[in-house]
mmCIF file of all heavy atoms in Angstrom:
data_model
loop_
_atom_site.group_PDB
_atom_site.id
_atom_site.type_symbol
_atom_site.label_atom_id
_atom_site.label_comp_id
_atom_site.label_asym_id
_atom_site.label_seq_id
_atom_site.Cartn_x
_atom_site.Cartn_y
_atom_site.Cartn_z
ATOM 1 N N ILE A 1 -15.536 82.538 -29.728
ATOM 2 C CA ILE A 1 -14.429 83.441 -29.770
ATOM 3 C C ILE A 1 -14.790 84.717 -29.181
ATOM 4 O O ILE A 1 -15.746 85.357 -29.595
ATOM 5 C CB ILE A 1 -13.915 83.718 -31.252
ATOM 6 C CG1 ILE A 1 -13.480 82.341 -31.876
ATOM 7 C CG2 ILE A 1 -12.814 84.712 -31.260
ATOM 8 C CD1 ILE A 1 -13.247 82.416 -33.364
ATOM 9 N N ARG A 2 -14.094 85.173 -28.098
ATOM 10 C CA ARG A 2 -14.302 86.473 -27.483
ATOM 11 C C ARG A 2 -13.531 87.553 -28.258
ATOM 12 O O ARG A 2 -12.351 87.453 -28.282
ATOM 13 C CB ARG A 2 -13.892 86.410 -25.999
ATOM 14 C CG ARG A 2 -14.904 85.617 -25.157
ATOM 15 C CD ARG A 2 -14.562 85.713 -23.688
ATOM 16 N NE ARG A 2 -14.576 87.106 -23.246
ATOM 17 C CZ ARG A 2 -13.957 87.585 -22.178
ATOM 18 N NH1 ARG A 2 -13.186 86.795 -21.479
ATOM 19 N NH2 ARG A 2 -14.061 88.867 -21.854
ATOM 20 N N GLY A 3 -14.232 88.464 -28.771
ATOM 21 C CA GLY A 3 -13.578 89.599 -29.415
ATOM 22 C C GLY A 3 -13.064 90.671 -28.550
ATOM 23 O O GLY A 3 -13.687 90.920 -27.475
ATOM 24 N N PRO A 4 -12.020 91.408 -28.875
ATOM 25 C CA PRO A 4 -11.467 92.394 -28.085
ATOM 26 C C PRO A 4 -12.213 93.769 -28.154
ATOM 27 O O PRO A 4 -12.138 94.555 -27.242
ATOM 28 C CB PRO A 4 -10.052 92.639 -28.587
ATOM 29 C CG PRO A 4 -10.175 92.203 -30.111
ATOM 30 C CD PRO A 4 -11.155 91.127 -30.150
ATOM 31 N N VAL A 5 -13.029 93.998 -29.153
ATOM 32 C CA VAL A 5 -13.689 95.236 -29.330
ATOM 33 C C VAL A 5 -15.131 95.193 -28.790
ATOM 34 O O VAL A 5 -15.950 94.357 -29.061
ATOM 35 C CB VAL A 5 -13.856 95.630 -30.864
ATOM 36 C CG1 VAL A 5 -14.578 96.942 -31.028
ATOM 37 C CG2 VAL A 5 -12.422 95.645 -31.497
ATOM 38 N N SER A 6 -15.363 96.129 -27.793
ATOM 39 C CA SER A 6 -16.667 96.316 -27.150
ATOM 40 C C SER A 6 -17.232 97.657 -27.539
ATOM 41 O O SER A 6 -16.511 98.674 -27.592
ATOM 42 C CB SER A 6 -16.566 96.203 -25.652
ATOM 43 O OG SER A 6 -16.242 94.917 -25.224
ATOM 44 N N ILE A 7 -18.483 97.657 -27.941
ATOM 45 C CA ILE A 7 -19.230 98.940 -28.341
ATOM 46 C C ILE A 7 -20.390 99.073 -27.398
ATOM 47 O O ILE A 7 -21.070 98.148 -27.155
ATOM 48 C CB ILE A 7 -19.717 98.838 -29.789
ATOM 49 C CG1 ILE A 7 -18.550 98.525 -30.797
ATOM 50 C CG2 ILE A 7 -20.431 100.056 -30.169
ATOM 51 C CD1 ILE A 7 -17.640 99.693 -31.068
ATOM 52 N N HIS A 8 -20.551 100.253 -26.873
ATOM 53 C CA HIS A 8 -21.698 100.560 -26.024
ATOM 54 C C HIS A 8 -22.811 101.252 -26.826
ATOM 55 O O HIS A 8 -22.605 101.689 -27.916
ATOM 56 C CB HIS A 8 -21.227 101.584 -24.880
ATOM 57 C CG HIS A 8 -20.164 100.982 -24.070
ATOM 58 N ND1 HIS A 8 -19.830 101.565 -22.846
ATOM 59 C CD2 HIS A 8 -19.273 99.940 -24.238
ATOM 60 C CE1 HIS A 8 -18.869 100.880 -22.324
ATOM 61 N NE2 HIS A 8 -18.499 99.860 -23.043
ATOM 62 N N THR A 9 -23.989 101.175 -26.216
ATOM 63 C CA THR A 9 -25.112 101.909 -26.870
ATOM 64 C C THR A 9 -24.819 103.351 -26.974
ATOM 65 O O THR A 9 -24.311 103.996 -26.064
ATOM 66 C CB THR A 9 -26.430 101.672 -25.978
ATOM 67 O OG1 THR A 9 -26.711 100.255 -25.953
ATOM 68 C CG2 THR A 9 -27.556 102.395 -26.526
ATOM 69 N N ALA A 10 -25.213 103.952 -28.168
ATOM 70 C CA ALA A 10 -25.093 105.403 -28.291
ATOM 71 C C ALA A 10 -26.252 106.123 -27.676
ATOM 72 O O ALA A 10 -27.453 105.632 -27.808
ATOM 73 C CB ALA A 10 -24.983 105.708 -29.816
ATOM 74 N N THR A 11 -26.094 107.272 -27.110
ATOM 75 C CA THR A 11 -27.159 108.045 -26.501
ATOM 76 C C THR A 11 -26.966 109.516 -26.967
ATOM 77 O O THR A 11 -25.871 110.032 -27.027
ATOM 78 C CB THR A 11 -27.125 107.995 -25.017
ATOM 79 O OG1 THR A 11 -27.075 106.623 -24.581
ATOM 80 C CG2 THR A 11 -28.230 108.682 -24.386
ATOM 81 N N SER A 12 -28.095 110.138 -27.332
ATOM 82 C CA SER A 12 -28.058 111.531 -27.715
ATOM 83 C C SER A 12 -27.716 112.388 -26.507
ATOM 84 O O SER A 12 -28.127 112.181 -25.352
ATOM 85 C CB SER A 12 -29.314 111.959 -28.362
ATOM 86 O OG SER A 12 -30.448 111.954 -27.505
ATOM 87 N N ILE A 13 -27.083 113.548 -26.731
ATOM 88 C CA ILE A 13 -26.683 114.475 -25.694
ATOM 89 C C ILE A 13 -27.930 115.120 -25.135
ATOM 90 O O ILE A 13 -28.032 115.260 -23.909
ATOM 91 C CB ILE A 13 -25.683 115.558 -26.253
ATOM 92 C CG1 ILE A 13 -24.386 114.839 -26.683
ATOM 93 C CG2 ILE A 13 -25.417 116.671 -25.145
ATOM 94 C CD1 ILE A 13 -23.436 115.793 -27.392
ATOM 95 N N GLU A 14 -28.858 115.492 -25.949
ATOM 96 C CA GLU A 14 -30.074 116.083 -25.542
ATOM 97 C C GLU A 14 -31.272 115.157 -25.957
ATOM 98 O O GLU A 14 -31.139 114.364 -26.836
ATOM 99 C CB GLU A 14 -30.330 117.486 -26.241
ATOM 100 C CG GLU A 14 -29.157 118.518 -26.009
ATOM 101 C CD GLU A 14 -29.272 119.089 -24.534
ATOM 102 O OE1 GLU A 14 -30.400 119.067 -24.013
ATOM 103 O OE2 GLU A 14 -28.267 119.514 -24.029
ATOM 104 N N PRO A 15 -32.457 115.431 -25.306
ATOM 105 C CA PRO A 15 -33.601 114.662 -25.756
ATOM 106 C C PRO A 15 -33.863 114.969 -27.277
ATOM 107 O O PRO A 15 -33.507 116.078 -27.730
ATOM 108 C CB PRO A 15 -34.799 115.219 -24.938
ATOM 109 C CG PRO A 15 -34.103 115.676 -23.640
ATOM 110 C CD PRO A 15 -32.786 116.229 -24.090
ATOM 111 N N VAL A 16 -34.380 113.945 -28.026
ATOM 112 C CA VAL A 16 -34.696 114.207 -29.439
ATOM 113 C C VAL A 16 -36.173 114.361 -29.756
ATOM 114 O O VAL A 16 -37.012 113.730 -29.028
ATOM 115 C CB VAL A 16 -34.028 113.010 -30.295
ATOM 116 C CG1 VAL A 16 -32.572 113.129 -30.214
ATOM 117 C CG2 VAL A 16 -34.600 111.649 -29.884
ATOM 118 N N ASP A 17 -36.492 115.169 -30.684
ATOM 119 C CA ASP A 17 -37.845 115.198 -31.192
ATOM 120 C C ASP A 17 -38.044 114.197 -32.372
ATOM 121 O O ASP A 17 -37.155 114.111 -33.252
ATOM 122 C CB ASP A 17 -38.192 116.560 -31.695
ATOM 123 C CG ASP A 17 -38.234 117.654 -30.596
ATOM 124 O OD1 ASP A 17 -38.632 117.205 -29.466
ATOM 125 O OD2 ASP A 17 -37.871 118.799 -30.809
ATOM 126 N N ILE A 18 -39.103 113.446 -32.257
ATOM 127 C CA ILE A 18 -39.415 112.470 -33.322
ATOM 128 C C ILE A 18 -40.592 112.941 -34.083
ATOM 129 O O ILE A 18 -41.733 113.249 -33.526
ATOM 130 C CB ILE A 18 -39.658 111.080 -32.714
ATOM 131 C CG1 ILE A 18 -38.342 110.569 -32.064
ATOM 132 C CG2 ILE A 18 -40.185 110.068 -33.804
ATOM 133 C CD1 ILE A 18 -38.444 109.266 -31.365
ATOM 134 N N THR A 19 -40.478 113.028 -35.375
ATOM 135 C CA THR A 19 -41.618 113.381 -36.288
ATOM 136 C C THR A 19 -42.138 112.101 -36.987
ATOM 137 O O THR A 19 -41.361 111.278 -37.417
ATOM 138 C CB THR A 19 -41.073 114.353 -37.360
ATOM 139 O OG1 THR A 19 -40.615 115.515 -36.714
ATOM 140 C CG2 THR A 19 -42.237 114.690 -38.308
ATOM 141 N N SER A 20 -43.395 111.966 -36.991
ATOM 142 C CA SER A 20 -44.086 110.840 -37.655
ATOM 143 C C SER A 20 -44.924 111.360 -38.817
ATOM 144 O O SER A 20 -45.565 112.391 -38.649
ATOM 145 C CB SER A 20 -45.014 110.087 -36.693
ATOM 146 O OG SER A 20 -44.238 109.587 -35.589
ATOM 147 N N MET A 21 -44.849 110.719 -39.962
ATOM 148 C CA MET A 21 -45.640 111.202 -41.101
ATOM 149 C C MET A 21 -46.339 110.016 -41.703
ATOM 150 O O MET A 21 -45.767 108.915 -41.798
ATOM 151 C CB MET A 21 -44.708 111.894 -42.114
ATOM 152 C CG MET A 21 -43.687 111.050 -42.725
ATOM 153 S SD MET A 21 -42.763 111.946 -44.046
ATOM 154 C CE MET A 21 -41.774 113.071 -43.100
ATOM 155 N N GLN A 22 -47.503 110.285 -42.176
ATOM 156 C CA GLN A 22 -48.292 109.270 -42.908
ATOM 157 C C GLN A 22 -47.762 109.155 -44.280
ATOM 158 O O GLN A 22 -47.509 110.186 -44.919
ATOM 159 C CB GLN A 22 -49.785 109.749 -42.937
ATOM 160 C CG GLN A 22 -50.785 108.693 -43.353
ATOM 161 C CD GLN A 22 -51.103 107.729 -42.205
ATOM 162 O OE1 GLN A 22 -51.077 108.036 -41.055
ATOM 163 N NE2 GLN A 22 -51.450 106.528 -42.581
ATOM 164 N N ILE A 23 -47.538 107.961 -44.748
ATOM 165 C CA ILE A 23 -47.093 107.756 -46.108
ATOM 166 C C ILE A 23 -48.092 106.771 -46.859
ATOM 167 O O ILE A 23 -48.796 106.026 -46.241
ATOM 168 C CB ILE A 23 -45.656 107.129 -46.153
ATOM 169 C CG1 ILE A 23 -45.570 105.805 -45.422
ATOM 170 C CG2 ILE A 23 -44.717 108.100 -45.632
ATOM 171 C CD1 ILE A 23 -44.295 104.989 -45.535
ATOM 172 N N THR A 24 -48.084 106.920 -48.098
ATOM 173 C CA THR A 24 -48.920 106.105 -49.042
ATOM 174 C C THR A 24 -48.142 105.360 -49.960
ATOM 175 O O THR A 24 -47.311 105.919 -50.697
ATOM 176 C CB THR A 24 -49.949 106.909 -49.745
ATOM 177 O OG1 THR A 24 -50.685 107.761 -48.776
ATOM 178 C CG2 THR A 24 -50.944 106.113 -50.502
ATOM 179 N N LYS A 25 -48.311 104.058 -50.095
ATOM 180 C CA LYS A 25 -47.564 103.277 -51.173
ATOM 181 C C LYS A 25 -48.655 103.047 -52.280
ATOM 182 O O LYS A 25 -49.655 102.444 -52.062
ATOM 183 C CB LYS A 25 -47.134 101.929 -50.608
ATOM 184 C CG LYS A 25 -46.385 101.118 -51.630
ATOM 185 C CD LYS A 25 -45.897 99.802 -51.133
ATOM 186 C CE LYS A 25 -46.977 98.752 -51.222
ATOM 187 N NZ LYS A 25 -46.605 97.445 -50.886
ATOM 188 N N SER A 26 -48.458 103.646 -53.412
ATOM 189 C CA SER A 26 -49.434 103.526 -54.476
ATOM 190 C C SER A 26 -48.896 102.769 -55.724
ATOM 191 O O SER A 26 -49.198 103.041 -56.825
ATOM 192 C CB SER A 26 -49.825 104.935 -54.947
ATOM 193 O OG SER A 26 -48.773 105.646 -55.355
ATOM 194 N N VAL A 27 -48.201 101.768 -55.398
ATOM 195 C CA VAL A 27 -47.562 100.862 -56.371
ATOM 196 C C VAL A 27 -48.280 99.491 -56.239
ATOM 197 O O VAL A 27 -48.432 99.009 -55.100
ATOM 198 C CB VAL A 27 -46.037 100.714 -56.334
ATOM 199 C CG1 VAL A 27 -45.495 99.640 -57.210
ATOM 200 C CG2 VAL A 27 -45.414 102.077 -56.459
ATOM 201 N N ASN A 28 -48.652 98.838 -57.379
ATOM 202 C CA ASN A 28 -49.180 97.511 -57.232
ATOM 203 C C ASN A 28 -48.183 96.510 -56.732
ATOM 204 O O ASN A 28 -47.162 96.379 -57.408
ATOM 205 C CB ASN A 28 -49.745 97.034 -58.555
ATOM 206 C CG ASN A 28 -50.986 97.811 -58.990
ATOM 207 O OD1 ASN A 28 -51.625 98.509 -58.143
ATOM 208 N ND2 ASN A 28 -51.362 97.725 -60.206
ATOM 209 N N SER A 29 -48.406 95.888 -55.628
ATOM 210 C CA SER A 29 -47.573 94.766 -55.195
ATOM 211 C C SER A 29 -47.862 93.467 -55.911
ATOM 212 O O SER A 29 -46.964 92.693 -56.244
ATOM 213 C CB SER A 29 -47.749 94.569 -53.706
ATOM 214 O OG SER A 29 -47.278 95.712 -52.972
ATOM 215 N N THR A 30 -49.163 93.318 -56.214
ATOM 216 C CA THR A 30 -49.616 92.132 -56.965
ATOM 217 C C THR A 30 -50.602 92.564 -57.968
ATOM 218 O O THR A 30 -51.118 93.696 -57.970
ATOM 219 C CB THR A 30 -50.284 91.119 -55.968
ATOM 220 O OG1 THR A 30 -51.410 91.737 -55.378
ATOM 221 C CG2 THR A 30 -49.327 90.568 -54.961
ATOM 222 N N THR A 31 -50.829 91.635 -58.894
ATOM 223 C CA THR A 31 -51.790 91.946 -59.997
ATOM 224 C C THR A 31 -53.173 91.371 -59.639
ATOM 225 O O THR A 31 -53.252 90.336 -59.092
ATOM 226 C CB THR A 31 -51.337 91.306 -61.319
ATOM 227 O OG1 THR A 31 -49.998 91.761 -61.660
ATOM 228 C CG2 THR A 31 -52.283 91.617 -62.486
ATOM 229 N N ASN A 32 -54.193 92.250 -59.844
ATOM 230 C CA ASN A 32 -55.499 91.728 -59.573
ATOM 231 C C ASN A 32 -55.869 90.619 -60.654
ATOM 232 O O ASN A 32 -55.922 91.003 -61.826
ATOM 233 C CB ASN A 32 -56.467 92.940 -59.645
ATOM 234 C CG ASN A 32 -57.900 92.551 -59.353
ATOM 235 O OD1 ASN A 32 -58.339 91.465 -59.460
ATOM 236 N ND2 ASN A 32 -58.697 93.555 -58.924
ATOM 237 N N THR A 33 -56.045 89.417 -60.203
ATOM 238 C CA THR A 33 -56.217 88.314 -61.193
ATOM 239 C C THR A 33 -57.599 88.430 -61.862
ATOM 240 O O THR A 33 -57.733 88.031 -63.028
ATOM 241 C CB THR A 33 -56.195 86.943 -60.488
ATOM 242 O OG1 THR A 33 -56.987 86.978 -59.381
ATOM 243 C CG2 THR A 33 -54.725 86.719 -60.018
ATOM 244 N N LYS A 34 -58.577 88.980 -61.193
ATOM 245 C CA LYS A 34 -59.910 89.117 -61.834
ATOM 246 C C LYS A 34 -59.942 90.265 -62.850
ATOM 247 O O LYS A 34 -60.665 90.104 -63.867
ATOM 248 C CB LYS A 34 -60.991 89.359 -60.763
ATOM 249 C CG LYS A 34 -61.219 88.198 -59.801
ATOM 250 C CD LYS A 34 -62.207 88.384 -58.833
ATOM 251 C CE LYS A 34 -62.315 87.276 -57.828
ATOM 252 N NZ LYS A 34 -63.164 87.507 -56.685
ATOM 253 N N ASP A 35 -59.204 91.297 -62.548
ATOM 254 C CA ASP A 35 -59.145 92.424 -63.490
ATOM 255 C C ASP A 35 -57.746 92.994 -63.512
ATOM 256 O O ASP A 35 -57.376 93.950 -62.800
ATOM 257 C CB ASP A 35 -60.159 93.529 -63.095
ATOM 258 C CG ASP A 35 -60.205 94.723 -64.093
ATOM 259 O OD1 ASP A 35 -59.604 94.644 -65.112
ATOM 260 O OD2 ASP A 35 -60.917 95.658 -63.758
#
């Protein structure tokens, strides 16, 4: 089925600055079976 609605890729008006930050996950995903 060909739909009537077409959407194009969105582009920012100006170049964007990207910030990257280090994160830490300090929650146990699994239990240590030995201890």
Side-chain angles (χ1 to χ4, degrees):
I1 299 171
R2 286 187 60 204
V5 179
S6 293
I7 303 285
H8 300 193
T9 297
T11 306
S12 65
I13 295 171
E14 299 288 336
V16 294
D17 290 326
I18 294 176
T19 299
S20 300
M21 63 174 73
Q22 191 80 25
I23 57 171
T24 306
K25 183 179 85 170
S26 57
V27 175
N28 289 345
S29 296
T30 59
T31 303
N32 184 335
T33 53
K34 293 179 184 171
D35 184 4

